[in-house]
Amino acid sequence: MTAENLHKIDTSKLDEIINQYGGKKSNLIAILQKVQEVYRYLPEDAMIYIGTKMEGLSPATVFGVATFYAQFSLEPKGKYEVKVCDGTACHVRGSMPVLTAIKARLDLKDGQMTTNDGLFSLETVSCLGACGLAPVVVINGKVYPQMTSDAIKIVLDTLLKEEA
Amino acid sequence: MTEENKKTLIIEGKEVEFTDEPNLLEVIRKAGMNVPTFCYRPDLTSFGACRMCVVEVEYPNGRRMINSSCTMPPEAGIKVHLNTEKTRRIRKTVLELLLANHDRKCLTCERNGNCELQQYAEEYGIKDIRFPDKELKDYLPIDDSSPALVRDPNKCILCGACVRACTEFQGHSVLGFANRGSKTLVQPMNGRPLGQVDCVNCGQCAAVCPTGALSIKNDTDKVWDEITNPEKTVVVQMAPATRVALGEMFGLKPGENTIGLMNAALRRIGFNYVFDTNFSADLTIMEEATEFLERLKSGQNLPLFTSCCPAWIKYLETQHPDMLHHLSSCKSPMSMLSPVLVELVPKYFNVKRENLVVVAVMPCTAKKYECKRPELGKDGRADTDYVITTQELGKMIRSAGIDFNSLEPEENDSPFGEYTGAGTIFGASGGVAEAAVRTAYEFATGEELKPVDIKEMRGTTNRSKTVELDIKGTKVTVRVVSTLKEAEKAIQEIKDGTANFQMLEVMACPGGCINGGGQPRSCDDSTVKVQRAEGLYKEDSELPFRKSHKNPSIQKLYNEFLEKPGSHKAHEMLHTVYNNKFAGSYKDV
């Protein structure tokens, strides 16, 4: 670990979260969810800290859990987390053109999850259970039903205008 | 065992009794039969990952089902079929799938000829793999950053044995699973190089790895280069535990003491002088027993931690730097003998220092790390130039075309080859403490210790033992642990203030050095380490001298050179200081 990232994470905040869950190894997923809420992703140092601090865990084990579940991100997510449903129903009703439209509007390259300004992050998820509204996009928990490439552009334009 | 709990089942038509075997596979093995497995290791928890040990089980009601024998508890009355059409087909498919995804450059693999995947592929006659080969773009880089181990993820079959060894032996989990499904990998945290994480180099991961995914870093080429260089005088020392295991590579029984054959083989290979680490184990006891008595007297820095195990030392330096003052300042036997050789071989044998090469044969992969520690050298050159493991020596003997079993036993070279029984038992868990007590008792009381054996300290399966001793009215308690998981418990007792012992002996490998990561492979049989330990205690009981201070060569060394235990000269050569390596370790966040 280099000197500069020594202070990147606030260990007292992590201690607080760990203690909130009784420091129990069986609560690791809940702890990681809380940490992700704070940092919008799981910083490497946070995983290492949790792995050394909590009994019965190690950094490698925590990393294993964090990479097993799709809900955890090792890269910082954007202020707006855009989730495009690509379950069967959404897929056949055209979720892929919506995804392409979002990538084009936000200027995201292949494999890039978060915009350079850190405002938006994009991911596909499997079924959200709202198949009747397909194709569905969820932005920070708000559901946008029956999206088209034109409709999603309007949604994004509105958010971008608010941020400008 | 009473009649009632005598239960039987039928394996391949043969009635077999069982009692408390943890799983069906153990019952099958006890009955003298076997099924293939990659992931089952008797000293680790059952995992059921590889599906090679599947058997067909027939219940009394006629129902038949396929089950993995390593995870299934034995049941009375069942019939077990090992080789049915179904089980063989399943095993062959598993092998094909593993081989399709495997880097099959076997000829240049460190585990060539000694690989379970290779062995089963041959036994099951896999000639044709129906699945497409792994694509070139999916190959991952080989990690050779560690001084002791090489990790080749392209040869990993995800059996998880290494992850379990790291967790269950060392409590440390440097290795873990990452990702999911077809992207699953076994790796240190976030794919960091093994040389840059808190790995203690114990090598237990390589010892349980069925393939070449984790292997010992091979240094034999470097040693051959020195041996074949006519200008160089190459001297060798070998650790106690190596002599009772090397023979296994040549068909001898575990525990058979091959020291005479080893001496002969080493000379045949071309080593100029053959000494013995047992000699410096005696030297270590002279210093450590003196240090222990001083600490007992002053009451400071107790309990004393033994300092022979390089994995244990790195563990303390990175995880508990606040406990370093407990460590004995004695170097390990290997690192005591090397500076003595560097100083005295040039004088005794008329060799120039720059032409002298010191090689050590060790049961241990962590010694490869130890010999590179900057403080264990002089004027920028390491005291021990190369460490090779017992396995590597076996390979050198084979490559030199030596018929090991037909050699005539030979003696070591004098004076650094003579040893006592106390030196030889260093290789088993409890041996260092027993040797230290044998000498400390006589140093403290001036009386002869009778009987010499302290049997309570022995045993390779019990990983934590507490032994109370009475040194003429002074009560001394010794804790003997093997595996760092047990060592950590002892450390927590010290931190809680509940520790009641004055000496803590730690060996990181389960059962001690006899079961080291560099020993011939024995992970499918947990009795091998027991037999090796018996081999050492047998040699101890047969030697004329069984206490380190009775070794005539040791007495001579002190008289002529080192003055007395704990002297300035002895400190300069035989003791060291440990460094806080907390910075940069995982805990340093």
Side-chain angles (χ1 to χ4, degrees):
Chain A
M1 235 144 294
T2 53
E4 78 234 85
N5 63 18
L6 273 182
H7 304 291
K8 240 169 67 177
I9 58 159
D10 178 1
T11 55
S12 62
K13 180 76 201 160
L14 292 175
D15 283 333
E16 205 178 287
I17 296 171
I18 294 171
N19 291 336
Q20 198 183 328
Y21 290 95
K24 280 215 294 253
K25 150 175 151 172
S26 52
N27 289 335
L28 177 63
I29 292 175
I31 291 169
L32 292 179
Q33 284 170 332
K34 259 278 168 338
V35 173
Q36 178 151 300
E37 239 176 77
V38 174
Y39 292 96
R40 292 197 296 200
Y41 77 117
L42 294 177
E44 192 184 23
D45 284 354
M47 288 187 278
I48 292 174
Y49 186 77
I50 293 167
T52 50
K53 195 79 184 174
M54 286 173 60
E55 215 179 303
L57 293 177
S58 80
T61 322
V62 175
F63 186 80
V65 173
T67 53
F68 186 88
Y69 294 102
Q71 59 171 312
F72 295 119
S73 169
L74 304 193
E75 271 177 68
K77 290 198 179 180
K79 184 177 171 190
Y80 295 99
E81 285 180 37
V82 184
K83 290 176 182 161
V84 180
C85 181
D86 195 29
T88 313
C90 289
H91 188 84
V92 297
R93 308 238 3 210
S95 59
M96 282 302 108
V98 175
L99 185 74
T100 316
I102 300 172
K103 278 186 183 167
R105 181 63 191 88
L106 297 177
D107 201 16
L108 283 167
K109 289 174 191 62
D110 273 348
Q112 187 185 356
M113 192 178 82
T114 309
T115 53
N116 292 336
D117 58 7
L119 217 48
F120 288 90
S121 59
L122 173 64
E123 62 187 308
T124 58
V125 293
S126 299
C127 190
L128 286 166
C131 307
L133 308 175
V136 175
V137 174
V138 176
I139 303 177
N140 281 3
K142 191 174 173 198
V143 177
Y144 295 85
Q146 293 175 331
M147 278 293 112
T148 61
S149 25
D150 290 337
I152 193 70
K153 263 185 226 156
I154 298 168
V155 174
L156 293 175
D157 283 341
T158 321
L159 292 173
L160 281 164
K161 204 178 274 172
E162 275 173 27
E163 287 298 324
Chain B
M1 193 176 67
T2 59
E3 272 306 303
E4 288 112 77
N5 49 22
K6 192 193 273 180
K7 289 172 280 185
T8 61
L9 50 78
I10 290 167
I11 305 174
E12 293 286 290
K14 186 182 158 195
E15 191 169 21
V16 178
E17 272 179 28
F18 67 95
T19 48
D20 55 350
E21 284 78 7
N23 53 60
L24 191 53
L25 182 50
E26 287 291 338
V27 182
I28 294 170
R29 287 185 175 174
K30 215 179 77 178
M33 292 175 257
N34 210 350
V35 284
T37 176
F38 292 118
C39 71
Y40 181 67
R41 304 291 183 224
D43 283 347
L44 298 171
T45 52
S46 290
F47 201 51
C50 76
R51 318 314 290 176
M52 283 294 282
C53 69
V54 286
V55 292
E56 201 162 342
V57 179
E58 195 184 330
Y59 290 91
N61 64 7
R63 196 163 59 102
R64 288 173 84 101
M65 64 186 285
I66 297 284
N67 225 330
S68 59
S69 57
C70 75
T71 53
M72 182 187 169
E75 273 176 50
I78 55 168
K79 287 183 184 161
V80 183
H81 306 280
L82 308 183
N83 292 299
T84 61
E85 188 274 327
K86 251 189 194 167
T87 59
R88 291 189 63 85
R89 182 158 42 86
I90 292 171
R91 287 178 205 144
K92 280 178 102 157
T93 308
V94 168
L95 284 168
E96 274 185 81
L97 286 164
L98 287 175
L99 287 170
N101 199 33
H102 196 80
D103 178 357
R104 300 202 294 276
K105 289 197 277 294
C106 291
L107 292 180
T108 49
C109 179
E110 179 62 26
R111 292 286 299 277
N112 186 18
N114 188 18
C115 162
E116 285 157 61
L117 183 56
Q118 202 180 40
Q119 181 200 332
Y120 295 141
E122 196 260 324
E123 287 174 5
Y124 278 77
I126 309 289
K127 302 288 175 228
D128 187 34
I129 293 159
R130 288 169 289 164
F131 312 104
D133 278 1
K134 185 181 177 123
E135 285 182 51
L136 263 183
K137 66 170 175 50
D138 293 329
Y139 275 75
L140 294 163
I142 294 170
D143 174 9
D144 64 353
S145 60
S146 155
L149 299 160
V150 179
R151 191 176 70 86
D152 183 348
N154 309 304
K155 289 176 181 156
C156 179
I157 60 166
L158 304 174
C159 71
C162 55
V163 177
R164 281 173 284 148
C166 206
T167 310
E168 293 172 23
F169 295 152
Q170 312 305 19
H172 208 47
S173 311
V174 162
L175 291 167
F177 284 103
N179 308 327
R180 184 175 40 164
S182 61
K183 293 192 175 71
T184 308
L185 285 172
V186 167
Q187 60 175 22
M189 164 79 191
N190 204 359
R192 289 182 181 203
L194 207 49
Q196 289 167 31
V197 294
D198 294 355
C199 167
V200 296
N201 306 304
C202 73
Q204 287 299 320
C205 54
V208 296
C209 179
T211 71
L214 279 155
S215 57
I216 300 167
K217 191 168 255 184
N218 190 323
D219 290 311
T220 55
D221 271 352
K222 293 176 196 159
V223 175
W224 277 117
D225 283 349
E226 301 286 2
I227 287 172
T228 49
N229 182 344
E231 311 229 307
K232 297 290 174 75
T233 298
V234 188
V235 301
V236 65
Q237 55 162 311
M238 65 300 230
T242 59
R243 69 206 62 208
V244 286
L246 179 66
E248 293 161 34
M249 293 183 78
F250 303 97
L252 300 177
K253 279 207 290 287
E256 191 156 333
N257 188 348
T258 59
I259 186 65
L261 301 179
M262 244 175 126
N263 291 334
L266 287 163
R267 289 205 183 94
R268 241 28 112 252
I269 285 172
F271 288 99
N272 299 87
Y273 297 101
V274 181
F275 302 118
D276 202 318
T277 314
N278 281 14
F279 167 84
S280 52
D282 282 335
L283 197 53
T284 304
I285 287 305
M286 297 296 282
E287 297 295 324
E288 199 159 328
T290 308
E291 189 181 19
F292 180 53
L293 291 174
E294 276 168 13
R295 289 197 195 180
L296 268 185
K297 209 164 139 193
S298 69
Q300 280 174 341
N301 299 335
L302 286 172
L304 171 108
F305 296 171
T306 60
S307 59
C308 301
C309 174
W312 160 235
I313 295 208
K314 189 180 173 193
Y315 184 76
L316 266 195
E317 285 178 328
T318 53
Q319 312 299 313
H320 299 287
D322 54 324
M323 307 292 273
L324 285 172
H325 59 282
H326 286 287
L327 266 177
S328 158
S329 65
C330 292
K331 294 177 185 173
S332 72
M334 175 187 94
S335 295
M336 277 201 182
L337 185 53
S338 296
V340 171
L341 295 176
V342 163
E343 182 88 14
L344 296 181
V345 166
K347 284 184 193 147
Y348 289 9
F349 299 97
N350 194 22
V351 178
K352 282 193 188 133
R353 164 64 184 115
E354 60 268 31
N355 290 337
L356 177 69
V357 178
V358 180
V359 177
V361 182
M362 295 284 139
C364 175
T365 48
K367 290 280 169 191
K368 286 177 186 280
Y369 159 81
E370 178 183 323
C371 77
K372 291 188 170 70
R373 292 176 71 103
E375 61 272 24
L376 300 177
K378 202 176 166 185
D379 308 326
R381 180 163 171 193
D383 290 333
T384 314
D385 294 290
Y386 306 102
V387 169
I388 56 170
T389 58
T390 319
Q391 274 189 38
E392 288 166 86
L393 175 63
K395 287 184 184 185
M396 285 181 83
I397 294 172
R398 282 185 193 146
S399 118
I402 296 166
D403 180 1
F404 189 72
N405 294 323
S406 64
L407 290 168
E408 279 296 316
E410 291 178 14
E411 293 288 314
N412 312 74
D413 285 297
S414 192
F416 311 116
E418 277 154 314
Y419 57 90
T420 71
T424 220
I425 60 172
F426 257 60
S429 175
V432 175
E434 182 173 344
V437 169
R438 285 182 193 176
T439 289
Y441 182 91
E442 299 198 359
F443 277 180
T445 63
E447 290 175 17
E448 204 177 327
L449 174 69
K450 268 186 189 166
V452 181
D453 295 332
I454 310 170
K455 293 220 164 95
E456 301 80 20
M457 288 187 182
R458 300 178 185 179
T460 45
T461 40
N462 181 357
R463 293 183 189 151
S464 180
K465 292 167 281 245
T466 308
V467 182
E468 272 182 51
L469 300 159
D470 184 359
I471 302 185
K472 280 203 104 184
T474 314
K475 288 259 183 288
V476 174
T477 308
V478 179
R479 172 75 64 87
V480 171
V481 299
S482 67
T483 71
L484 295 174
K485 195 174 191 174
E486 292 299 329
E488 178 66 33
K489 288 183 197 160
I491 288 175
Q492 290 310 327
E493 282 178 35
I494 296 169
K495 290 193 171 171
D496 299 346
T498 56
N500 62 345
F501 47 89
Q502 287 83 44
M503 183 193 270
L504 174 67
E505 183 209 277
V506 179
M507 297 189 187
C509 291
C513 311
I514 38 132
N515 193 29
Q519 292 282 65
R521 294 182 62 73
S522 68
C523 58
D524 56 349
D525 185 356
S526 46
T527 65
V528 168
K529 56 180 174 301
V530 180
Q531 299 172 59
R532 289 177 186 159
E534 279 166 6
L536 289 182
Y537 288 113
K538 183 166 174 281
E539 187 185 29
D540 165 42
S541 67
E542 290 165 356
L543 284 167
F545 299 111
R546 300 185 60 196
K547 295 160 194 156
S548 298
H549 55 286
K550 303 285 188 192
N551 183 338
S553 293
I554 291 283
Q555 290 167 351
K556 190 164 164 253
L557 184 68
Y558 278 103
N559 288 341
E560 289 180 4
F561 189 67
L562 292 171
E563 296 156 28
K564 63 178 173 53
S567 73
H568 179 69
K569 187 80 196 162
H571 262 274
E572 212 174 64
M573 200 171 259
L574 308 179
H575 292 252
T576 185
V577 282
Y578 305 99
N579 307 309
N580 182 335
K581 292 196 172 70
F582 188 72
S585 78
Y586 275 152
K587 289 203 172 176
D588 178 21
V589 172

